[in-house]
Amino acid sequence: MIFISLILLGLSALAASQTLITVNVGTRYQIIDGFGFSQAFGRAREYQQVSASTQKYALDLLFSTTSGAGFSIIRNRIGSGGSGDSILPTSPGSPSGTPRYVWDNDDSGQVWFSKQALSYGVKTVYADAWSAPGFMKTSGNEATPGYLCGTTGRSCSSGDWRQAYANMIVQYIKYYQQAGIPITHVGFLNEPDYTVSYSQMQISPNAQEAISFIPILYNTLQSNGLGSVNMTCCDAVGWNMQSTYTTNLVNGGSTRYLGIITSHSYSSDAINLSQTTLRKWNTEAGTGGSYRLVTTWYSNGAPNEGMTWAIKLANAMVNAQLSAYLYWEGFEKNQQQSGSHLIDSADGNGMTISGIFWAFAMWSRHIRPGAQRVQTSGSLNSVITGAFQNADGSVVVVFTNSGTSEQATRIGFQGFSPRSASAWVTRQGTNFGGTGASLSGGVVSVSVPAKSVVTAKLT
């Protein structure tokens, strides 16, 4: 009897040491559109040309919801250069001239890649133009700084090219439709606050150029039966600059035409933009050329480690309330010296899967498009907690522990009664491994190791 009493006392003490997190599915926040990446600038064609076995293995890793990350968004580039890059490689002579569109039904491998993604159930295809063709810009060159001719304050001797640019974008969408690939989102800018030596087009901090073009593109989509395509703006280099753009877009009345506010997170990470209720996407992110791809989850907190990106994702999806997060590129071949892709293959000599890939997988495999973030109360030391309810009713809770101590927790619920519980952990040495999740009396108990992410799914 004494022995039994001691056991009960121990169990009571353990329960008392666990912090209660309450998930209230009745209080809801942003809708989740998903997670994704790009294969732009020829990486789709490179992917297409590897062996069939490598293709299948990598596609399963990227898109499978049982063995991979379950990514659900792809971002394709609308080319703006010469022959083989743009559907409008040469000038029609004037804005009112007849455009000579060229379509090869390949688009640098992006048509093939899009079809592969769709075969796995991907439904969100984002087509994004880095620039207008050079002859439509004030600089006369698609790869040098310049503005779209005809936008506010940007006149050109050749005329106003805004409608011609809108027509080109719409034609690109139509070509994809003909190939059986529905474009769901479209953008006309990429990093307009940054100067590079490849495709680029600028806007001013007051976004006057975007404000004068957005209604034209919107009306062109509408008149061509493409009103369901969501327009985006502005894919800034960082969220601080995107906040400035967004304020000016709101003040200029442009957000009524848009479906998504977009930014990258190179110069500044995601922040909560309260200026508008539009959904927000982080459409590009990466470690940059200084950091190579590594399998490390956590060593010292370097920018190319998985745990570093787990924290970025948790802050973005919970604190900044983003609806989507995209990394730069998914698959590359023999490019491990670069860290801005998720998996790398020597084609036949194995697959190198980055720690960053697993950081994304802990979110994207079980938090599916159409999920909605719900309220959590209670907190754990050094842990960001996010809870989401999927369209099928299941609830997913993600714990991101940046601390050096394991945290034990119980998860209680309001408005939801779990019948089963599963949990997975990623930490150094373990990628998406099963971990204990006990369900008793409607309360789930899990432990979150130091420097780890634990994803619990309740059905």
Side-chain angles (χ1 to χ4, degrees), residues 267-395:
S267 62
S268 54
D269 281 330
I271 55 177
N272 190 344
L273 302 187
S274 59
Q275 303 97 314
T276 175
T277 58
L278 288 177
R279 298 182 196 179
K280 291 90 177 175
W281 289 10
N282 192 98
T283 49
E284 188 177 318
T287 61
S290 300
Y291 295 93
R292 63 187 296 269
L293 182 149
V294 295
T295 61
T296 308
W297 175 256
Y298 179 79
S299 174
N300 56 16
N304 55 349
E305 294 179 1
M307 188 67 211
T308 300
W309 285 82
I311 297 168
K312 285 178 180 287
L313 283 164
N315 277 314
M317 306 310 294
V318 178
N319 298 328
Q321 300 187 39
L322 299 193
S323 290
Y325 202 109
L326 284 68
Y327 201 66
W328 172 215
E329 291 186 321
F331 173 91
E332 292 187 11
K333 180 182 174 182
N334 293 331
Q335 297 292 327
Q336 290 187 43
Q337 69 271 18
S338 167
S340 290
H341 60 296
L342 296 167
I343 57 178
D344 193 283
S345 173
D347 196 16
N349 295 313
M351 195 81 68
T352 303
I353 307 171
S354 69
I356 298 172
F357 171 89
W358 295 111
F360 274 87
M362 295 302 289
W363 292 81
S364 55
R365 184 186 291 187
H366 291 300
I367 301 172
R368 304 306 300 158
Q372 194 162 9
R373 191 169 70 87
V374 296
Q375 184 184 63
T376 62
S377 58
S379 62
L380 300 167
N381 291 333
S382 303
V383 175
I384 299 173
T385 303
F388 305 81
Q389 186 165 40
N390 284 310
D392 65 3
S394 62
V395 171

Side-chain angles (χ1 to χ4, degrees), residues 22-26 389 392-396 411-421 439-444 457-459:
T22 301
V23 175
N24 179 4
V25 300
Q389 186 165 40
D392 65 3
S394 62
V395 171
V396 178
I411 313 170
F413 301 89
Q414 294 180 8
F416 177 77
S417 299
R419 295 184 177 181
S420 67
L439 173 61
S440 177
V443 176
V444 177
K457 183 175 183 180
L458 305 314
T459 59

Side-chain angles (χ1 to χ4, degrees), residues 138-174:
T138 56
S139 65
N141 189 315
E142 63 113 22
T144 57
Y147 302 85
L148 180 62
C149 294
T151 55
T152 301
R154 309 298 175 183
S155 61
C156 300
S157 59
S158 59
D160 181 346
W161 288 89
R162 289 178 296 170
Q163 185 62 60
Y165 184 39
N167 292 343
M168 189 195 89
I169 291 172
V170 164
Q171 184 59 54
Y172 180 90
I173 296 172
K174 288 182 176 180

